[in-house]
Amino acid sequence: MVICTLGRQPELGMAELESLYGASALHSLNNQVASVDVEARDINQNNLGGTIKIATPLITLNTTKWDAIIDACQQQLIKLAPNIPEGKITIGLSALGVRVNSRDMQRAGLSLKKSLKNLGHSVRLVPNAAPELNSAQVLHNQLTGPRGVELLLISGGQQTHIARTTSVQDIDDYTRRDFGRPKRDALVGMLPPKLAQIMINLAQAKPDNVLLDPFCGTGVVLTEAALLGLRLQGSDLDSRMIDYTIANLDWLSQTYGIVPSIIDLSVADAQQHNWHKPIDTVVCETYLGKPLVTLPDVKQLQKIVNDCDNLVRKFLINLQAQLDSGTRCCIAVPAWQTPKGFITLPVIDDLKKIGYNQVSFSNGTGNLRYYRKDQIVARQLLVLTRQ
C-alpha cells in the first residue's frame, strides 16, 4: 500500500487514481489524502498530475492526541536513523487534516531534531511556515533523498496515520514544460501540463496507443502524451497552432532525448474532419469561449454559452461516428462560474442521445472541474466512452 497526497482540487487526483488503479484499490483517508493498494514499484510519481507526494505508511495510531502523535514520530525517526547514510540528516514534518498550527509544527520538529542529536546525529530541520511543507520545500531540501526524511501526519477520523514521503512532484520539470517550451499563446488557453497529464490518465491511455487531440493548440496534450510513450495524432483549425505544436515537439525531443511518434498533424475543422484510424483514445480541450475578466450580462453570457455548445455538439457528433465502441475520451469543455453556481453546456445533458456514456467515479468525485475561485471560465472534464 502507498499513500498519495492530492493537489489543490483533490477530486481530480482521486478520479485519476481510480482510472489507473480501480475503485477497489483506492481508499480516502481524508479530503486531501488517499491510500492505494499497490506496490510502491507499481506507482510512478512522474506520471501523476494530481498526486503531489507519494509516501510509505509507517504506523497507524488509534488516537488524535498531539503529544501521542509526536511521541510516535520520535519512535519512528529513531527506527529509521540507523538506515540513513552517514552525514547530516534533513527532516521535515507535514500535517494533513490534523488540527495544528505552524508554530506547533515547528516546536514538534525542533523536539524531533533534538532527539536525533542526542543519539549523535547531525540534523537540519526544514522550518514550517504552514502545517504542510509544499512540494518545492520537499524537492529542494532533498527530503526524499538518502539523508532526508519527511514525516506525514495524516488525520483519518479517530485515527492518525504516520507515513514517510518517498517521492514528490518535480515542480521544476513541470515549469520547464510549461514556460520553457519555445511556443506559447495565452489566447488559446495555456492548458497546464499537470492537467493534461491528469486528462490522459482519466482517458486510460496506454503506451503505444494512438492519442488524438482534435484541438491541439500549442501541443500541450501531445507533449505530455509523448512523454508517456503514446503515438500522436493532432489537428487544429489554425495553421499557426500546428507550427507551434511541431516546434514544441522538436523542443521536447531535444530536451528529453525522446523521439515523439507522430501519426499525423493536420490543419482541420474538428466539426467535420475525418481523422486517421486507429483512434485508441481522445484527449483534448475544446474552445472555451472568449476570455472573461468580468462576468457579462445574462444575454451576452447566454450567447457565449450557445456558441460554445454549438461547436462542441457538432464536434462530438462528428467524432462519435469515427470511434469504435468503448473508446474512452477525456474532453475539457467550458463551464462558467456565477454567484448562483456553474453554468454548463446543454450538450452535457444530451450525451447519451449522441452516442456517449459519461463515466462516473465511485470515490466521492462529482463534477470534475479545474478552476480558481476567482476564475469565471472553468474547465469541466468530461470522461466519456463511445456507446
Side-chain angles (χ1 to χ4, degrees):
M1 181 178 78
V2 299
I3 287 176
C4 297
T5 74
L6 307 172
R8 178 171 56 88
Q9 291 174 287
E11 64 276 7
L12 296 180
M14 288 289 284
E16 179 184 36
L17 291 171
E18 182 174 331
S19 295
L20 291 172
Y21 303 108
S24 61
L26 187 61
H27 311 281
S28 176
L29 300 182
N30 62 42
N31 63 3
Q32 297 173 270
V33 187
S35 67
V36 188
D37 293 333
V38 295
E39 297 292 331
R41 64 177 179 272
D42 295 328
I43 188 166
N44 187 345
Q45 176 82 70
N46 294 331
N47 294 346
L48 296 171
T51 293
I52 304 301
K53 301 173 186 175
I54 294 175
T56 299
L58 298 176
I59 191 171
T60 296
L61 309 174
N62 292 315
T63 182
T64 59
K65 293 183 178 179
W66 183 243
D67 289 344
I69 295 170
I70 298 308
D71 285 345
C73 287
Q74 186 179 59
Q75 293 168 20
Q76 293 302 314
L77 266 180
I78 290 170
K79 287 182 182 178
L80 292 170
N83 298 316
I84 296 174
E86 188 174 344
K88 181 172 282 188
I89 300 172
T90 303
I91 64 171
L93 278 181
S94 284
L96 297 104
V98 177
R99 292 186 177 181
V100 62
N101 58 42
S102 55
R103 179 183 296 179
D104 288 337
M105 289 292 290
Q106 186 68 12
R107 287 174 179 165
L110 290 170
S111 174
L112 296 178
K113 176 180 177 180
K114 183 178 179 180
S115 67
L116 284 181
K117 289 188 74 172
N118 288 340
L119 292 174
H121 297 283
S122 176
V123 186
R124 184 173 71 88
L125 172 68
V126 179
N128 283 86
E132 182 184 2
L133 299 178
N134 61 40
S135 53
Q137 289 174 293
V138 176
L139 182 68
H140 296 151
N141 287 285
Q142 300 181 336
L143 287 176
T144 60
R147 291 197 294 274
V149 178
E150 183 192 28
L151 294 181
L152 304 182
L153 318 180
I154 302 161
S155 173
Q158 297 304 308
Q159 295 182 318
T160 304
H161 309 277
I162 300 177
R164 180 183 182 181
T165 304
T166 55
S167 64
V168 64
Q169 273 191 346
D170 189 341
I171 59 165
D172 294 339
D173 201 32
Y174 280 118
T175 299
R176 179 165 52 247
R177 301 206 298 271
D178 197 355
F179 298 99
R181 56 199 171 102
K183 300 296 184 180
R184 302 176 83 249
D185 189 332
L187 295 179
V188 298
M190 295 194 299
L191 186 75
K194 272 189 193 181
L195 182 57
Q197 204 171 46
I198 291 170
M199 292 172 65
I200 292 168
N201 287 329
L202 289 175
Q204 296 182 334
K206 296 176 175 57
D208 290 328
N209 279 177
V210 175
L211 180 145
L212 167 65
D213 181 351
F215 300 83
C216 67
T218 62
V220 177
V221 167
L222 296 179
T223 295
E224 295 303 310
L227 287 171
L228 294 171
L230 282 83
R231 293 183 288 160
L232 315 176
Q233 183 175 185
S235 62
D236 199 281
L237 189 60
D238 186 345
S239 62
R240 186 171 56 104
M241 293 298 101
I242 298 299
D243 292 339
Y244 280 15
T245 292
I246 292 170
N248 285 334
L249 287 171
D250 286 344
W251 170 85
L252 182 79
S253 179
Q254 295 167 14
T255 305
Y256 289 84
I258 65 169
V259 179
S261 176
I262 302 171
I263 305 300
D264 184 62
L265 293 171
S266 299
V267 178
D269 183 348
Q271 298 172 88
Q272 57 189 24
H273 185 63
N274 289 320
W275 294 280
H276 293 278
K277 289 192 174 184
I279 300 170
D280 296 313
T281 188
V282 180
V283 178
C284 65
E285 175 181 272
T286 66
Y287 177 56
L288 300 181
K290 63 182 287 188
L292 298 175
V293 178
T294 59
L295 190 67
D297 62 40
V298 173
K299 186 176 180 180
Q300 288 178 307
L301 182 57
Q302 191 58 56
K303 183 180 185 310
I304 294 170
V305 173
N306 290 342
D307 288 346
C308 290
D309 187 75
N310 184 52
L311 184 154
V312 172
R313 187 181 296 269
K314 288 181 178 178
F315 156 62
L316 288 174
I317 291 170
N318 180 45
L319 178 68
Q320 190 269 353
Q322 300 180 53
L323 298 180
D324 293 335
S325 178
T327 301
R328 183 154 162 153
C329 315
C330 183
I331 297 170
V333 299
W336 293 266
Q337 188 173 198
T338 76
K340 295 182 179 179
F342 280 94
I343 294 175
T344 58
L345 295 180
V347 70
I348 294 173
D349 294 327
D350 296 334
L351 289 170
K352 276 193 173 294
K353 293 179 184 176
I354 58 177
Y356 295 94
N357 294 320
Q358 189 166 3
V359 175
S360 59
F361 296 92
S362 61
N363 283 281
T365 52
N367 285 315
L368 300 177
R369 297 191 184 110
Y370 183 89
Y371 63 99
R372 298 185 307 272
K373 287 184 178 180
D374 61 346
Q375 192 173 11
I376 295 171
V377 183
R379 294 173 170 96
Q380 178 151 347
L381 304 188
L382 303 179
V383 185
L384 310 173
T385 58
R386 199 272 200 192
Q387 290 173 3

